[in-house]
Amino acid sequence: MDPRPSHSRIYKYDFTYGGSRQVLGLPAENTCGELVFVPRANSQSDDGYLMTFIHDRTRDTSHLAIIDAADLISGPIAEIRLPVQVPNGFHGNWISRHRD
């Protein structure tokens, strides 16, 4: 049995082109929250970034991970350490400001 909790892996499924799957395994002491997709300007398909809060259970710290959505298995391209631990299950979203 895998000792990592269920939120220690990120999966990407491609149902359009053959049903492939990419898996990013986090270190055993880490769990992640819900991911948010942030598209690049004028993007198509998975051209953008995945952002998620990651909690290190052994250190009781958190960081924001930014992952290239087209290349999940390479891991985070940036990690922003946070001065406080973000509670597990925290939800958030980024919404563009609409101009009328």
Side-chain angles (χ1 to χ4, degrees):
M1 182 167 125
D2 191 340
R4 293 189 288 187
S6 61
H7 293 92
S8 64
R9 291 190 180 112
I10 300 170
Y11 295 90
K12 175 185 174 185
Y13 293 93
D14 182 349
F15 295 113
T16 304
Y17 301 104
S20 65
R21 179 179 86 167
Q22 292 183 32
V23 180
L24 172 60
L26 303 174
E29 63 277 1
N30 288 187
T31 59
C32 71
E34 181 178 8
L35 284 89
V36 174
F37 177 71
V38 181
R40 287 187 179 103
N42 302 315
S43 68
Q44 296 180 4
S45 185
D46 61 355
D47 185 22
Y49 304 96
L50 296 171
M51 298 172 62
T52 186
F53 290 113
I54 295 182
H55 176 235
D56 183 327
R57 296 186 324 258
T58 59
R59 295 183 180 151
D60 205 25
T61 60
S62 296
H63 65 275
L64 175 68
I66 302 172
I67 303 162
D68 183 342
D71 187 17
L72 183 74
I73 58 177
S74 291
I77 57 174
E79 294 180 347
I80 301 167
R81 303 289 166 188
L82 302 173
V84 296
Q85 190 259 327
V86 176
N88 286 334
F90 178 81
H91 284 67
N93 209 336
W94 287 261
I95 300 173
S96 298
R97 181 176 162 212
H98 293 278
R99 296 180 187 215
D100 294 338

